[in-house]
Amino acid sequence: MLNEPKIITLSLSVAAALTAVAAALHFSCIFIGAPAFRFLGAGEVIAKMAERGHWYPSFIAFVIGIVLTSWAAYALSGAGVTPRLPLTPYALFAIALIFLFRAVGFPLLKSAFPENSQTFWFVTSGICLVIGLAFLIGAIGLWRDS
């Protein structure tokens, strides 16, 4: 079932779309500033730094946005929407594992980000779980298909 081209394409297209939205939200923080950082749950310290014009919040948002954009590109590559990128099946598995670790590993991460609320952790972990599973289903399908 997982090696059906429709399942692979759908799964990786969903992964690409959700990851691209996450990237766009991170990029929006650069242009909107402190209100966007607050809305997305970055914490008051980061929001205050953004209000003061400090470079760090925008830099981190940019780096995360670039990483997420590249992951969305790999999902599109695996879905066959764009030309195949190098090591696509391996990259898709690695990306899936990172999202899944983020989804279930939040208790280990909470102490590093004490300002983030329980709601933030549960919502973002749920989103990461969905995205991670979409990447994983697509990656498994690609491996079985090849």
Side-chain angles (χ1 to χ4, degrees):
M1 178 177 147
L2 288 181
N3 61 341
E4 289 187 32
K6 288 181 183 178
I7 298 295
I8 297 167
T9 300
L10 177 63
S11 176
L12 291 173
S13 295
V14 167
L18 293 175
T19 305
V21 168
L25 288 171
H26 282 83
F27 288 133
S28 75
C29 290
I30 297 167
F31 301 104
I32 297 171
F37 283 107
R38 283 189 184 97
F39 176 76
L40 294 175
E44 196 57 29
V45 170
I46 293 293
K48 292 280 188 196
M49 288 173 77
E51 283 177 339
R52 292 191 309 268
H54 197 280
W55 63 270
Y56 181 76
S58 293
F59 175 75
I60 292 300
F62 179 76
V63 169
I64 293 170
I66 290 294
V67 168
L68 291 171
T69 299
S70 70
W71 291 358
Y74 266 96
L76 291 174
S77 172
V81 175
T82 61
R84 187 61 63 105
L85 293 171
L87 304 171
T88 294
Y90 299 103
L92 294 175
F93 268 116
I95 294 164
L97 291 176
I98 293 167
F99 272 117
L100 293 172
F101 173 76
R102 170 54 185 83
V104 299
F106 76 90
L108 302 172
L109 300 170
K110 284 175 67 172
S111 63
F113 306 95
E115 289 189 338
N116 293 346
S117 68
Q118 280 292 105
T119 302
F120 169 85
W121 287 110
F122 284 120
V123 169
T124 58
S125 294
I127 292 167
C128 286
L129 180 63
V130 169
I131 296 171
L133 289 173
F135 269 102
L136 185 61
I137 290 167
I140 290 170
L142 281 182
W143 276 98
R144 288 187 176 169
D145 196 35
S146 57

